[in-house]
Amino acid sequence: MAGTSSSLAAWLTTAEPQSRAQARLGHAWQGFRRLSRNPTAMAGLAIVVLLIFVAVFAPLLATHSPIASGDLRTERLLPPGPVFWLGTDDQARDIYSRLLYGSRLTLAVVILVSVIATPIGLAIGTISGYFGGWIDRILMRITDIFLAFPRLVLALAFVAALGPGIENAIIAIAITAWPPYARLARAETLTIRNSDFIHAVRLQGGSSLRILLKHIVPLCLSSVTVRVTLDMAGIILTAAGLGFLGLGAQPPTPEWGTMIAQGRRFLMDQWWVAAVPGIAIFVVSLGFNLLGDGLRDALDPKAAR
Amino acid sequence: MGLAFVSRGLAAAVFAVALASSSVFAATPKDTLVQAWQIDDIISLDPAELFEFSTTEIAGNTYERLIGYDLDDVSKMFGVVAESWTVSDDGKTISFKIREGRKFASGNPITAADVEFSLQRAVLLDKSPAFIITQFGITKDNVKDAIKATGDYTLDFTMDRPYAPSFALYALTSSVASVVDKKLVLEHEADGDLGNGWLKTHYAGSGPFTIRDWRANEVVVLERNPNFSGTPTPLSRVIYRHIPETATQRILLEKGDVDIARNLGPEQITALSGNPDIKIQRAPKGTLYYLGLNQKNPNLAKPEVREALKYLVDYSAIVDTIMKDQASVHQAFLPKGFLGAVNDNPYALDVDKAKALLAKAGLPDGFTVTMDVRSTQPITGVAEAIQSSFAKAGVKVEIIPGDGKQTLTKYRARAHDIYIGDWGSDYQDPHSNAQTFASNPDNKDDASSKTLAWRNAWPTPVLGPEVGAAILERDPAKRAALYEKLQRDVMADGPFVIMFQKTESAALRSNVQGFIMGPSFDNNLATSTSKD
C-alpha cells in the first residue's frame, strides 16, 4: 500500500513526464500539495466536502419529511430536542430535515450558476481580448452595462420579469454573474495574445478558434476558477436573498433563504426557526470563501513562492 | 424594489441601535395616535372606488354618509348627513331631509346637491363598489332621475322595485355612499373623470378627521377636521404606519413608538399578554376567509373536485394554532350575527372521502394547481397548511406570492386558479354576502356586476333569481329561511371553500382609551380615542 502511494507520488512529481496527461496530473498534484499546506483552505474544503456529502445523502440522513407538515396542534414551533434535533417550524416541519434537503438546492444553485456563467464569461472575455477592435468595444460595453447594476437588484429585476421560482432565480443569478469573468479573461488574453508562442501557432496555420480553445482559454482558466470559487459565497447569498424576498424558491421548498423569511416572525420567541438556516448559510459561504482564498494562493502562477 | 430593500435594511439598522441603547425612549405625542398596520392594499382613496379593508376604515373615520347604525345594536339606525327620511306608499322612493348648517372640511356647506352628486358619481364612475347602489335598479342612464335633489335640503332616492327598506338603508351606510364635496371635487375634474384622478390621493369630505397625506406602502396621516359639525375628536392626528413585519409591529409597540399594533400573530399576542403596558382588544368581525376556485380551470370546474377540496382543509387545527385568537371555524357565507346565518359546520378534514371524490371526478392521482397568496400573515401560514393538507390527496398546490395589489388585481381579472382571501360584507344586511357569493347575472369577462361568483366564473342560473326574491321578502322569518337555503346550496356546490370568520385582535398601549372596533371593518373608529 505504502509502496503504491510512494510510487504514485513519484510518478506525479517526476521531472520528465512521459505524457501530457501525466504532466497535467502532476501539476494538479503540486497545486493540491500547496493547498494542503494552508489550514484555513483545508477547513474551507472540509466544509464544501461536507456540504456535498450532506446533499448527496440527504434522504438517508433526514429523520422526517422536509415538506409534509406534522401535527399542527402538538408539533408546531417545538424547540430543539431529541425527536426534532433542530426544532420545528410554524407548519410543524422538522427543521433538521429541511436543512439537509435545502443543501441540495444550495449546491444545485452554485453548480448550475458556475456551469452557466463561467463559459459565457470566458467566451466573451477571450474573444473580446483576442480579436480587439470593434468586437472588443461592443462586447465590453455590454459587459459594462451589466456591471453598472448592483447584482441583487439586477437579479431582482430579472426574477420579477421571469416570475418567481428557483429555476428563474438560477437564470437570473447566472445572467448577473458572468461580467467579472469576462473582464478577467479579457485582461489575461491581452497579456498573452502577442506572445511568441501564439505567433508561432498562427504562423503554422492554426485557426483563431484553435488558438482560443487550445492556448488562450487554458491559460485563463486558473484565474477564472479562483474567481468563481470566491464568488460562490456571493451566489449563495444572492439565492438566499431572493428566497427571503419571496422571489426565489417557493414554499414549501426547503430553501434556506425562504426558511429564514418564514422564521423571522418568530425571531423573538422561537429564535431557532430563523437562526438555524441562517447559521447554515453563514458556514457554507465561509467555507467557499476560505477555499477560494486558498485556491488563489495555490493556483496563481505569478504569485511569489 | 431595490429602494424598498434598502429602506428595510436601514430600518433594521435603526432597530439594532434602538435595541442596543435602552435609554432611547420615543413616546408618541399625547394628541397623536400612531397605528402600525399592513396598508399595502390601498389602491385609491376615492370613496366611489375604495373597497379594501384599510381604505374603508379610513373612509369610516373621514367621510360621512346619509345614515349610520348603532354599533351595539345594528338594527337601530340614525341620520348623519340626513336628518330624517320617509318611505313612499309604493315602497319605491325614500325621501331624505338633509341637516342644514353643516359644512365640509373645505368650508363649503353640505347641501342636497352634494349628496346627489356623490351618489350619482358612484354610479357613473362604476368602480368595484358601485353595485351597492346600482343593485336598486339604478343605471348610468336613469341615475339623474333616480337620485334627485328636490330642493336645497331634500333628496329622493328611487328604486325599481319595493325592496325591504332596511336593505336600502343598510346599503346607504356603506363607504361608497360617502358624501363628497361637489364644488371641491369638480374644481379638480380632468377629462370628465368626475374628479376621480384627483380624489384617489386627496380628500373632499366632512367627517371627524381629514386625510392629510397618503404615501403608498408607507403612511396615511389623518388630521382633526376643524369644520366638523359633531363633537371634535380628542386627538388632533392619527397616523397609520405601514409595518409589514408583525415582529416589527410588536417591537415598536413595546418600545412605545406606536400606540396600536393591528396585525399581531397569535404567538405575539400570547407573548404580550403578560406585559402591563399593553392590553389586547378583540372583536368578532363580519369577515370570512375563503378559497375562490376559478371555474375557468377545467379541474376546479368539476363539482366533485370542488366538494373534495372542502374536505381537504384541516379547519379546526388551523384555528387552534396558526389562527389562534384570530378566527373561528365558519363555513356558510353569512357570518354569525347576520339574519339567517347558518352556524353548523359540516366539513372537516377527511382525506379518504376527498380521494374518493377525486377518483369519481376522473382524477385519482390528483392534479396540479396554482394559488395566489398575499404575502402577509396569517394568509401565508394558512395557505401553506392548505398546501400540505391538499397534498395528502395528491392535489399539488404551487403558491404564487404577491402583495395585496398584485393578487387582488389578478383575482379581479379572473386570471387565478385558486385565490385565498378574506371577504368583509359591505353593509349589515344579509343581501350583501348573498349577492356576492350566490349571484352572477352575467358571466362574460366584461360584465358590469363583478361579484365574487363572477370573479370565480361561476354562473348562477338558479341561485341568482333566489337572491333577487329574498330582498323583496318583507317577513323576516321567511326571509331568513330563504337565506338559509342559499347558504346550504353554496356550501354544497359553490366554488368557495369558506373556512373561517375573523376575530380582529389589536394590541394597544394601556394609555389608549376609547378605540372602537365595530362589527364591520368600516367602523374601527379613532374618532373618540384619547390618550392619558
Short mmCIF file of all heavy atoms in Angstrom, two decimals, chain A residues 67-69 72-73 76-77 90-91 93 152-153 156 160 164 244-247 250-252 262 264-270, chain B residues 1-2 5 8 245-247 250-251 254 267-268 271 314 316-318 320-322 377 380-382 384-385 387-388 399 401:
data_model
loop_
_atom_site.label_atom_id
_atom_site.label_comp_id
_atom_site.label_asym_id
_atom_site.label_seq_id
_atom_site.Cartn_x
_atom_site.Cartn_y
_atom_site.Cartn_z
N ILE A 67 -41.08 18.28 3.68
CA ILE A 67 -42.17 19.06 3.10
C ILE A 67 -43.49 18.83 3.84
O ILE A 67 -44.22 19.77 4.13
CB ILE A 67 -42.31 18.71 1.61
CG1 ILE A 67 -41.15 19.35 0.84
CG2 ILE A 67 -43.64 19.19 1.04
CD1 ILE A 67 -41.01 18.91 -0.57
N ALA A 68 -43.81 17.58 4.16
CA ALA A 68 -45.10 17.30 4.78
C ALA A 68 -45.15 17.88 6.20
O ALA A 68 -44.21 17.76 6.97
CB ALA A 68 -45.34 15.79 4.83
N SER A 69 -46.27 18.53 6.51
CA SER A 69 -46.44 19.09 7.85
C SER A 69 -46.69 17.98 8.85
O SER A 69 -47.27 16.96 8.52
CB SER A 69 -47.63 20.04 7.87
OG SER A 69 -47.41 21.08 6.97
N LEU A 72 -50.21 19.92 13.57
CA LEU A 72 -50.13 21.34 13.92
C LEU A 72 -50.32 21.57 15.41
O LEU A 72 -49.72 22.46 16.00
CB LEU A 72 -51.19 22.12 13.16
CG LEU A 72 -50.93 22.39 11.68
CD1 LEU A 72 -52.10 23.13 11.08
CD2 LEU A 72 -49.68 23.21 11.50
N ARG A 73 -51.18 20.76 16.04
CA ARG A 73 -51.51 21.02 17.44
C ARG A 73 -50.37 20.71 18.39
O ARG A 73 -50.17 21.40 19.38
CB ARG A 73 -52.71 20.19 17.85
CG ARG A 73 -54.02 20.73 17.37
CD ARG A 73 -55.11 19.79 17.84
NE ARG A 73 -56.14 19.65 16.82
CZ ARG A 73 -57.17 20.44 16.73
NH1 ARG A 73 -57.32 21.42 17.57
NH2 ARG A 73 -58.06 20.27 15.78
N ARG A 76 -45.84 21.93 16.62
CA ARG A 76 -45.56 23.20 15.98
C ARG A 76 -44.60 24.02 16.84
O ARG A 76 -44.79 24.11 18.05
CB ARG A 76 -46.89 23.93 15.81
CG ARG A 76 -46.83 25.15 14.97
CD ARG A 76 -48.23 25.59 14.59
NE ARG A 76 -48.17 26.86 13.92
CZ ARG A 76 -48.36 28.01 14.52
NH1 ARG A 76 -48.67 28.04 15.80
NH2 ARG A 76 -48.25 29.14 13.85
N LEU A 77 -43.58 24.62 16.22
CA LEU A 77 -42.66 25.53 16.89
C LEU A 77 -42.02 24.92 18.13
O LEU A 77 -41.86 25.58 19.15
CB LEU A 77 -43.38 26.84 17.25
CG LEU A 77 -43.85 27.68 16.06
CD1 LEU A 77 -44.69 28.84 16.53
CD2 LEU A 77 -42.66 28.19 15.26
N ASP A 90 -43.26 26.73 11.89
CA ASP A 90 -44.67 27.04 12.17
C ASP A 90 -45.63 26.10 11.47
O ASP A 90 -46.82 26.11 11.76
CB ASP A 90 -44.98 28.49 11.81
CG ASP A 90 -44.92 28.71 10.32
OD1 ASP A 90 -43.97 28.22 9.69
OD2 ASP A 90 -45.82 29.37 9.78
N GLN A 91 -45.16 25.31 10.50
CA GLN A 91 -46.01 24.32 9.87
C GLN A 91 -45.72 22.93 10.43
O GLN A 91 -46.04 21.92 9.80
CB GLN A 91 -45.82 24.32 8.35
CG GLN A 91 -46.20 25.63 7.69
CD GLN A 91 -47.69 25.84 7.62
OE1 GLN A 91 -48.47 24.91 7.70
NE2 GLN A 91 -48.12 27.08 7.48
N ARG A 93 -42.93 21.32 10.69
CA ARG A 93 -41.97 20.54 9.91
C ARG A 93 -40.63 20.51 10.64
O ARG A 93 -40.26 21.47 11.32
CB ARG A 93 -41.79 21.14 8.51
CG ARG A 93 -43.04 21.03 7.67
CD ARG A 93 -42.87 21.75 6.35
NE ARG A 93 -42.70 23.18 6.54
CZ ARG A 93 -43.20 24.09 5.71
NH1 ARG A 93 -43.88 23.74 4.66
NH2 ARG A 93 -42.99 25.38 5.93
N LEU A 152 -27.72 42.12 -6.82
CA LEU A 152 -29.01 41.65 -6.30
C LEU A 152 -30.16 42.39 -6.97
O LEU A 152 -31.19 41.80 -7.30
CB LEU A 152 -29.07 41.85 -4.78
CG LEU A 152 -30.34 41.32 -4.11
CD1 LEU A 152 -30.44 39.81 -4.28
CD2 LEU A 152 -30.38 41.68 -2.65
N VAL A 153 -29.95 43.71 -7.21
CA VAL A 153 -31.02 44.50 -7.82
C VAL A 153 -31.30 44.00 -9.24
O VAL A 153 -32.45 43.83 -9.65
CB VAL A 153 -30.63 45.99 -7.83
CG1 VAL A 153 -31.67 46.80 -8.58
CG2 VAL A 153 -30.47 46.50 -6.42
N LEU A 156 -33.08 40.77 -9.04
CA LEU A 156 -34.47 41.04 -8.68
C LEU A 156 -35.28 41.41 -9.91
O LEU A 156 -36.40 40.94 -10.10
CB LEU A 156 -34.55 42.19 -7.67
CG LEU A 156 -34.35 41.85 -6.20
CD1 LEU A 156 -34.34 43.12 -5.38
CD2 LEU A 156 -35.44 40.93 -5.73
N ALA A 160 -38.33 39.33 -11.38
CA ALA A 160 -39.64 39.96 -11.48
C ALA A 160 -40.20 39.78 -12.89
O ALA A 160 -41.40 39.59 -13.09
CB ALA A 160 -39.55 41.43 -11.12
N PRO A 164 -41.36 34.35 -10.16
CA PRO A 164 -40.63 33.74 -9.07
C PRO A 164 -40.44 32.24 -9.26
O PRO A 164 -41.23 31.60 -9.94
CB PRO A 164 -41.50 34.03 -7.83
CG PRO A 164 -42.70 34.74 -8.30
CD PRO A 164 -42.68 34.81 -9.79
N PHE A 244 -35.51 34.95 0.43
CA PHE A 244 -36.01 35.72 1.57
C PHE A 244 -37.06 36.73 1.12
O PHE A 244 -38.06 36.95 1.78
CB PHE A 244 -34.84 36.44 2.24
CG PHE A 244 -35.22 37.24 3.45
CD1 PHE A 244 -35.38 36.62 4.68
CD2 PHE A 244 -35.45 38.61 3.36
CE1 PHE A 244 -35.73 37.35 5.80
CE2 PHE A 244 -35.81 39.34 4.48
CZ PHE A 244 -35.95 38.71 5.70
N LEU A 245 -36.83 37.33 -0.06
CA LEU A 245 -37.77 38.34 -0.56
C LEU A 245 -38.96 37.70 -1.26
O LEU A 245 -39.80 38.40 -1.81
CB LEU A 245 -37.05 39.29 -1.52
CG LEU A 245 -35.97 40.14 -0.85
CD1 LEU A 245 -35.19 40.91 -1.90
CD2 LEU A 245 -36.57 41.08 0.15
N GLY A 246 -39.04 36.38 -1.26
CA GLY A 246 -40.20 35.71 -1.84
C GLY A 246 -40.10 35.53 -3.34
O GLY A 246 -41.07 35.22 -4.00
N LEU A 247 -38.90 35.75 -3.92
CA LEU A 247 -38.75 35.66 -5.37
C LEU A 247 -37.92 34.46 -5.81
O LEU A 247 -37.78 34.21 -6.98
CB LEU A 247 -38.12 36.95 -5.90
CG LEU A 247 -38.99 38.18 -5.75
CD1 LEU A 247 -38.19 39.44 -5.97
CD2 LEU A 247 -40.15 38.13 -6.72
N GLN A 250 -40.09 28.68 -3.92
CA GLN A 250 -41.41 28.93 -3.35
C GLN A 250 -41.76 27.88 -2.30
O GLN A 250 -41.31 26.74 -2.40
CB GLN A 250 -42.45 28.92 -4.47
CG GLN A 250 -42.28 30.07 -5.45
CD GLN A 250 -42.22 31.40 -4.75
OE1 GLN A 250 -42.99 31.68 -3.85
NE2 GLN A 250 -41.26 32.24 -5.13
N PRO A 251 -42.57 28.25 -1.30
CA PRO A 251 -42.96 27.28 -0.30
C PRO A 251 -43.69 26.12 -0.95
O PRO A 251 -44.38 26.35 -1.94
CB PRO A 251 -43.90 28.06 0.64
CG PRO A 251 -44.20 29.34 -0.05
CD PRO A 251 -43.15 29.55 -1.09
N PRO A 252 -43.56 24.89 -0.46
CA PRO A 252 -42.86 24.52 0.78
C PRO A 252 -41.40 24.11 0.54
O PRO A 252 -40.82 23.48 1.39
CB PRO A 252 -43.66 23.31 1.24
CG PRO A 252 -44.08 22.65 -0.04
CD PRO A 252 -44.24 23.74 -1.07
N GLN A 262 -39.57 32.72 6.55
CA GLN A 262 -40.72 32.20 7.29
C GLN A 262 -40.49 32.27 8.79
O GLN A 262 -41.44 32.39 9.56
CB GLN A 262 -40.98 30.75 6.88
CG GLN A 262 -41.61 30.67 5.50
CD GLN A 262 -41.59 29.26 4.95
OE1 GLN A 262 -40.85 28.40 5.42
NE2 GLN A 262 -42.40 29.02 3.94
N ARG A 264 -38.76 34.61 10.45
CA ARG A 264 -38.48 35.92 11.05
C ARG A 264 -39.63 36.40 11.92
O ARG A 264 -39.44 37.21 12.80
CB ARG A 264 -38.14 36.94 9.97
CG ARG A 264 -39.31 37.28 9.13
CD ARG A 264 -38.99 38.17 7.97
NE ARG A 264 -40.24 38.24 7.24
CZ ARG A 264 -40.38 38.49 5.98
NH1 ARG A 264 -39.36 38.73 5.26
NH2 ARG A 264 -41.56 38.51 5.41
N ARG A 265 -40.85 35.89 11.68
CA ARG A 265 -41.98 36.28 12.54
C ARG A 265 -41.79 35.80 13.97
O ARG A 265 -42.34 36.35 14.90
CB ARG A 265 -43.28 35.65 12.02
CG ARG A 265 -43.91 36.38 10.91
CD ARG A 265 -45.19 35.68 10.53
NE ARG A 265 -44.93 34.35 10.01
CZ ARG A 265 -45.71 33.29 10.25
NH1 ARG A 265 -46.76 33.42 11.01
NH2 ARG A 265 -45.43 32.14 9.71
N PHE A 266 -41.03 34.71 14.11
CA PHE A 266 -40.91 34.10 15.43
C PHE A 266 -39.55 34.38 16.05
O PHE A 266 -39.16 33.74 17.01
CB PHE A 266 -41.13 32.58 15.31
CG PHE A 266 -42.33 32.23 14.49
CD1 PHE A 266 -42.20 31.74 13.22
CD2 PHE A 266 -43.61 32.43 15.00
CE1 PHE A 266 -43.30 31.44 12.46
CE2 PHE A 266 -44.72 32.13 14.24
CZ PHE A 266 -44.57 31.64 12.96
N LEU A 267 -38.84 35.34 15.47
CA LEU A 267 -37.46 35.61 15.88
C LEU A 267 -37.35 35.89 17.37
O LEU A 267 -36.40 35.50 18.02
CB LEU A 267 -36.93 36.80 15.07
CG LEU A 267 -35.44 36.90 14.91
CD1 LEU A 267 -34.89 35.62 14.32
CD2 LEU A 267 -35.09 38.07 14.01
N MET A 268 -38.37 36.55 17.92
CA MET A 268 -38.30 36.96 19.32
C MET A 268 -38.44 35.77 20.26
O MET A 268 -37.77 35.68 21.27
CB MET A 268 -39.40 37.95 19.63
CG MET A 268 -39.49 39.08 18.65
SD MET A 268 -38.32 40.36 19.02
CE MET A 268 -39.10 41.08 20.44
N ASP A 269 -39.35 34.87 19.97
CA ASP A 269 -39.68 33.81 20.93
C ASP A 269 -39.22 32.43 20.49
O ASP A 269 -38.93 31.59 21.33
CB ASP A 269 -41.19 33.79 21.17
CG ASP A 269 -41.68 35.14 21.64
OD1 ASP A 269 -41.24 35.58 22.70
OD2 ASP A 269 -42.48 35.77 20.92
N GLN A 270 -39.20 32.18 19.16
CA GLN A 270 -38.73 30.88 18.67
C GLN A 270 -37.57 31.13 17.72
O GLN A 270 -37.68 30.98 16.51
CB GLN A 270 -39.87 30.13 17.95
CG GLN A 270 -40.96 29.60 18.87
CD GLN A 270 -42.08 30.59 19.11
OE1 GLN A 270 -42.22 31.56 18.38
NE2 GLN A 270 -42.87 30.37 20.13
N MET B 1 -38.21 48.41 -6.00
CA MET B 1 -37.93 47.18 -5.26
C MET B 1 -36.60 47.28 -4.55
O MET B 1 -36.46 46.96 -3.40
CB MET B 1 -37.92 46.02 -6.23
CG MET B 1 -38.23 44.72 -5.57
SD MET B 1 -39.19 43.72 -6.69
CE MET B 1 -40.57 43.32 -5.71
N GLY B 2 -35.62 47.80 -5.31
CA GLY B 2 -34.30 47.98 -4.72
C GLY B 2 -34.37 48.94 -3.55
O GLY B 2 -33.80 48.69 -2.49
N PHE B 5 -35.83 47.48 -0.51
CA PHE B 5 -34.86 46.60 0.15
C PHE B 5 -33.91 47.43 0.99
O PHE B 5 -33.61 47.10 2.13
CB PHE B 5 -34.11 45.81 -0.93
CG PHE B 5 -33.20 44.77 -0.35
CD1 PHE B 5 -33.73 43.67 0.29
CD2 PHE B 5 -31.83 44.92 -0.42
CE1 PHE B 5 -32.90 42.73 0.84
CE2 PHE B 5 -31.01 43.98 0.13
CZ PHE B 5 -31.53 42.88 0.76
N ARG B 8 -35.60 48.73 4.07
CA ARG B 8 -35.79 47.68 5.05
C ARG B 8 -34.49 47.45 5.83
O ARG B 8 -34.48 47.28 7.03
CB ARG B 8 -36.21 46.40 4.33
CG ARG B 8 -37.17 45.58 5.14
CD ARG B 8 -37.61 44.38 4.35
NE ARG B 8 -38.83 44.66 3.62
CZ ARG B 8 -39.46 43.74 2.90
NH1 ARG B 8 -38.99 42.53 2.81
NH2 ARG B 8 -40.55 44.04 2.26
N GLU B 245 -43.96 43.76 8.77
CA GLU B 245 -43.49 42.68 9.64
C GLU B 245 -44.24 42.72 10.96
O GLU B 245 -44.19 43.72 11.68
CB GLU B 245 -42.00 42.84 9.92
CG GLU B 245 -41.13 42.73 8.71
CD GLU B 245 -41.26 41.38 8.07
OE1 GLU B 245 -41.41 40.38 8.78
OE2 GLU B 245 -41.23 41.33 6.82
N THR B 246 -44.87 41.60 11.32
CA THR B 246 -45.59 41.60 12.59
C THR B 246 -44.62 41.67 13.77
O THR B 246 -44.93 42.27 14.79
CB THR B 246 -46.47 40.35 12.69
OG1 THR B 246 -45.66 39.20 12.49
CG2 THR B 246 -47.56 40.37 11.64
N ALA B 247 -43.44 41.05 13.61
CA ALA B 247 -42.45 41.12 14.70
C ALA B 247 -42.01 42.57 14.92
O ALA B 247 -41.83 43.01 16.06
CB ALA B 247 -41.24 40.26 14.36
N ARG B 250 -44.60 44.44 16.83
CA ARG B 250 -44.54 44.15 18.27
C ARG B 250 -43.44 44.96 18.95
O ARG B 250 -43.65 45.54 20.02
CB ARG B 250 -44.30 42.65 18.47
CG ARG B 250 -44.11 42.30 19.92
CD ARG B 250 -43.82 40.83 20.09
NE ARG B 250 -43.19 40.60 21.37
CZ ARG B 250 -42.62 39.45 21.71
NH1 ARG B 250 -42.61 38.45 20.86
NH2 ARG B 250 -42.07 39.32 22.89
N ILE B 251 -42.25 45.00 18.32
CA ILE B 251 -41.14 45.75 18.94
C ILE B 251 -41.52 47.22 19.07
O ILE B 251 -41.33 47.84 20.11
CB ILE B 251 -39.85 45.62 18.08
CG1 ILE B 251 -39.43 44.17 17.97
CG2 ILE B 251 -38.73 46.45 18.68
CD1 ILE B 251 -38.29 43.95 17.00
N GLU B 254 -43.93 47.67 21.94
CA GLU B 254 -43.29 47.53 23.25
C GLU B 254 -42.43 48.74 23.58
O GLU B 254 -42.33 49.16 24.72
CB GLU B 254 -42.43 46.26 23.29
CG GLU B 254 -43.28 45.00 23.39
CD GLU B 254 -42.43 43.74 23.35
OE1 GLU B 254 -41.46 43.68 22.58
OE2 GLU B 254 -42.77 42.81 24.09
N GLU B 267 -48.83 34.03 18.32
CA GLU B 267 -47.69 33.85 19.22
C GLU B 267 -47.33 35.17 19.89
O GLU B 267 -46.97 35.23 21.06
CB GLU B 267 -46.46 33.35 18.44
CG GLU B 267 -46.57 31.93 17.94
CD GLU B 267 -47.40 31.82 16.67
OE1 GLU B 267 -47.63 32.85 16.03
OE2 GLU B 267 -47.82 30.70 16.34
N GLN B 268 -47.44 36.26 19.10
CA GLN B 268 -47.05 37.55 19.64
C GLN B 268 -48.06 38.04 20.68
O GLN B 268 -47.69 38.61 21.69
CB GLN B 268 -46.92 38.56 18.50
CG GLN B 268 -45.72 38.24 17.66
CD GLN B 268 -45.89 38.64 16.22
OE1 GLN B 268 -47.00 38.83 15.75
NE2 GLN B 268 -44.78 38.73 15.52
N ALA B 271 -47.39 36.24 23.81
CA ALA B 271 -46.18 36.75 24.46
C ALA B 271 -46.42 38.10 25.11
O ALA B 271 -45.81 38.44 26.13
CB ALA B 271 -45.05 36.85 23.44
N ASP B 314 -57.81 21.37 7.06
CA ASP B 314 -57.90 20.98 8.47
C ASP B 314 -58.36 22.19 9.28
O ASP B 314 -57.59 22.85 9.96
CB ASP B 314 -56.54 20.47 8.96
CG ASP B 314 -56.67 19.67 10.25
OD1 ASP B 314 -57.77 19.71 10.85
OD2 ASP B 314 -55.70 19.03 10.66
N SER B 316 -60.17 22.83 12.04
CA SER B 316 -60.06 23.05 13.48
C SER B 316 -58.59 23.18 13.92
O SER B 316 -58.28 24.00 14.78
CB SER B 316 -60.74 21.91 14.24
OG SER B 316 -60.15 20.68 13.87
N ALA B 317 -57.69 22.42 13.29
CA ALA B 317 -56.28 22.54 13.69
C ALA B 317 -55.75 23.93 13.37
O ALA B 317 -54.97 24.50 14.14
CB ALA B 317 -55.44 21.48 13.00
N ILE B 318 -56.16 24.49 12.23
CA ILE B 318 -55.66 25.81 11.85
C ILE B 318 -56.17 26.87 12.84
O ILE B 318 -55.43 27.74 13.29
CB ILE B 318 -56.08 26.15 10.41
CG1 ILE B 318 -55.35 25.23 9.44
CG2 ILE B 318 -55.77 27.61 10.08
CD1 ILE B 318 -55.78 25.37 7.99
N ASP B 320 -56.90 26.41 15.89
CA ASP B 320 -56.28 26.24 17.20
C ASP B 320 -54.82 26.65 17.22
O ASP B 320 -54.24 26.81 18.28
CB ASP B 320 -56.39 24.77 17.64
CG ASP B 320 -57.81 24.42 18.02
OD1 ASP B 320 -58.61 25.35 18.21
OD2 ASP B 320 -58.13 23.21 18.11
N THR B 321 -54.20 26.79 16.05
CA THR B 321 -52.76 27.08 16.04
C THR B 321 -52.43 28.35 15.26
O THR B 321 -52.26 29.41 15.83
CB THR B 321 -51.98 25.90 15.44
OG1 THR B 321 -52.50 25.60 14.15
CG2 THR B 321 -52.10 24.66 16.32
N ILE B 322 -52.40 28.23 13.92
CA ILE B 322 -51.96 29.34 13.09
C ILE B 322 -52.88 30.56 13.26
O ILE B 322 -52.44 31.70 13.25
CB ILE B 322 -51.92 28.90 11.61
CG1 ILE B 322 -50.92 27.76 11.46
CG2 ILE B 322 -51.55 30.06 10.70
CD1 ILE B 322 -50.99 27.06 10.12
N GLN B 377 -49.20 37.62 6.93
CA GLN B 377 -49.75 36.65 7.86
C GLN B 377 -51.13 37.13 8.30
O GLN B 377 -51.36 38.31 8.36
CB GLN B 377 -48.82 36.48 9.06
CG GLN B 377 -47.52 35.80 8.69
CD GLN B 377 -47.73 34.39 8.17
OE1 GLN B 377 -48.77 33.78 8.40
NE2 GLN B 377 -46.76 33.89 7.43
N THR B 380 -50.45 33.66 4.55
CA THR B 380 -49.39 32.78 4.06
C THR B 380 -49.35 31.47 4.84
O THR B 380 -49.22 30.39 4.27
CB THR B 380 -48.02 33.48 4.18
OG1 THR B 380 -48.19 34.83 3.80
CG2 THR B 380 -47.01 32.85 3.29
N GLY B 381 -49.46 31.58 6.17
CA GLY B 381 -49.41 30.39 7.01
C GLY B 381 -50.57 29.44 6.70
O GLY B 381 -50.38 28.23 6.58
N VAL B 382 -51.77 30.01 6.54
CA VAL B 382 -52.94 29.19 6.22
C VAL B 382 -52.75 28.55 4.84
O VAL B 382 -53.03 27.36 4.64
CB VAL B 382 -54.22 30.05 6.24
CG1 VAL B 382 -55.41 29.24 5.77
CG2 VAL B 382 -54.48 30.57 7.65
N GLU B 384 -50.01 27.70 3.38
CA GLU B 384 -49.06 26.58 3.46
C GLU B 384 -49.68 25.37 4.13
O GLU B 384 -49.42 24.23 3.73
CB GLU B 384 -47.81 27.02 4.22
CG GLU B 384 -46.84 27.77 3.34
CD GLU B 384 -45.53 27.98 4.06
OE1 GLU B 384 -44.86 27.00 4.38
OE2 GLU B 384 -45.19 29.16 4.31
N ALA B 385 -50.51 25.61 5.16
CA ALA B 385 -51.18 24.48 5.81
C ALA B 385 -52.13 23.80 4.83
O ALA B 385 -52.23 22.57 4.78
CB ALA B 385 -51.94 24.97 7.04
N GLN B 387 -51.80 23.88 1.51
CA GLN B 387 -50.93 23.22 0.54
C GLN B 387 -50.55 21.83 1.04
O GLN B 387 -50.59 20.85 0.29
CB GLN B 387 -49.68 24.07 0.36
CG GLN B 387 -48.72 23.58 -0.69
CD GLN B 387 -47.48 24.46 -0.76
OE1 GLN B 387 -46.94 24.87 0.27
NE2 GLN B 387 -47.03 24.77 -1.96
N SER B 388 -50.25 21.76 2.32
CA SER B 388 -49.82 20.49 2.91
C SER B 388 -50.99 19.49 3.01
O SER B 388 -50.82 18.31 2.70
CB SER B 388 -49.22 20.78 4.28
OG SER B 388 -49.15 19.63 5.03
N ILE B 399 -47.70 27.78 -4.80
CA ILE B 399 -48.06 29.07 -4.24
C ILE B 399 -47.40 30.19 -5.04
O ILE B 399 -46.21 30.15 -5.31
CB ILE B 399 -47.65 29.13 -2.75
CG1 ILE B 399 -48.58 28.23 -1.95
CG2 ILE B 399 -47.67 30.55 -2.24
CD1 ILE B 399 -48.30 28.20 -0.47
N PRO B 401 -46.74 34.00 -4.59
CA PRO B 401 -46.89 35.10 -3.65
C PRO B 401 -46.95 36.45 -4.36
O PRO B 401 -46.49 36.59 -5.49
CB PRO B 401 -45.62 35.00 -2.81
CG PRO B 401 -44.60 34.41 -3.73
CD PRO B 401 -45.33 33.58 -4.75
#
